[in-house]
Amino acid sequence: MIIMAPVLLILLGATEILQVDLLPDEKISLLPPVNFTIKVTGLAQVLLHWEPNPDQEQRNVNLEYQVKINAPKEDDYETRITESKCVTILHKGFSASVRTILQNDHSLLASSWASAELHAPPGSPGTSVVNLTCTTNTTADNYSHLRPYQVSLHCTWLVGTDAPEDTQYFLYYRYGSWTEECQEYSKDSLGRNIACWFPRTFIRSRGRDWLAVLVNGSSKHSAIKPFDQLFALHTIDRINPPLNVTAEIEGTRLSIQWEKPVSAFPIHCFDYEVKIHNARNGYLQIEKMMTNAFISIIDDLSKYDVQVRAAVSSMCREAGLWSEWSQPIYVGKDEHKPLREWFLIVLMATICFILLILLLICRICHLWIKLFPPIPAPKSSIKDLFVTANYEKAGSVETEIEVISYIEKPGVETLEDSVF
């Protein structure tokens, strides 16, 4: 019994501690927040604000709040403060709810929801822009030491299907706390704005904030419905191609080098792809790497064209778009003959073939002798040339022999006939 007494005291103490922990959850009554409001603070940005319920029983507990976004896209999160900033599109309206919660390791207590809503902005259906797309690009600014790189912004869109002909659109962007209206537009045949160009912006190419773009409009015949959209920079940033690409061949080694693109990201923040095309057999080789040099074993009898492109590595930000390929660099021997040389070769081969056919035909049909008869050999140049022809006629009674002789002398010609 003496040994069991301390054990009982320990168990009773633990029970009392558990009851104290559970007491707030079992007896406290949670009330919803009050004065819940939604306020637009910028393009595609709202501020949610509420206050604790003044009738809420105060105890030594840490109350939290659960925020639930109902539209345009469902989301929920928890916070200890009484306001929350939310970046979201607003042309479809916005609604959210908040409630008081108390949680520990054993249970979760929650109040009822307090809700608020922003209605969609007015406008006739089919009048807002469609297919809004934007791209950013970084250029070097040699005149500014504070911002050595400038980011441009280019956006395009299509006119709403039911927008009147006199509709005019206007574009705004917001990045962080900066908001700008477009000053350089491109127009369609009816004079309506369909594209916008910002040569310089307040966008930081290495930033992680959302880019908010709003396009509204006006018309004398209809209310134009506004349209806003959010862009993550890594999905629209058009990286520049690598600089100073060089390629050299030493025997069967092809060495390629380049420099990083014009970008605010440092040299270690880029992935590269090298494309090597064999012009003789059409073989295409693409290699991916993180360095700015590459060596390949090649056939030294072929000509190659080499290109490189770049993308920001996932080590420095989320994976995005690849740049365009650099201008091709040509190295190696050119085995392709010019068109003129090929024409001459084909022509000579055709002529030789035709001549060969004609010779075969002449040989078969003896046309060569008929066309070109043999030239008789020259006579002997001795003083006298004798030609004798003898004819013999044999009979049973008599024999007749006729001999004809020609004797040629310079200036004199004698004919003797003897008949026997």
Side-chain angles (χ1 to χ4, degrees), residues 54 72 99 142 200 208 221 237 250 272 280 283 351 376:
R99 67 178 179 177
N142 299 324
R200 300 165 66 95
R208 298 180 180 272
H221 306 285
D237 189 19
E250 297 180 1
Y272 298 100
R280 186 165 63 91
Y283 177 73
I351 293 174

Side-chain angles (χ1 to χ4, degrees), residues 395-399:
S396 59
V397 181
E398 58 181 5
T399 301

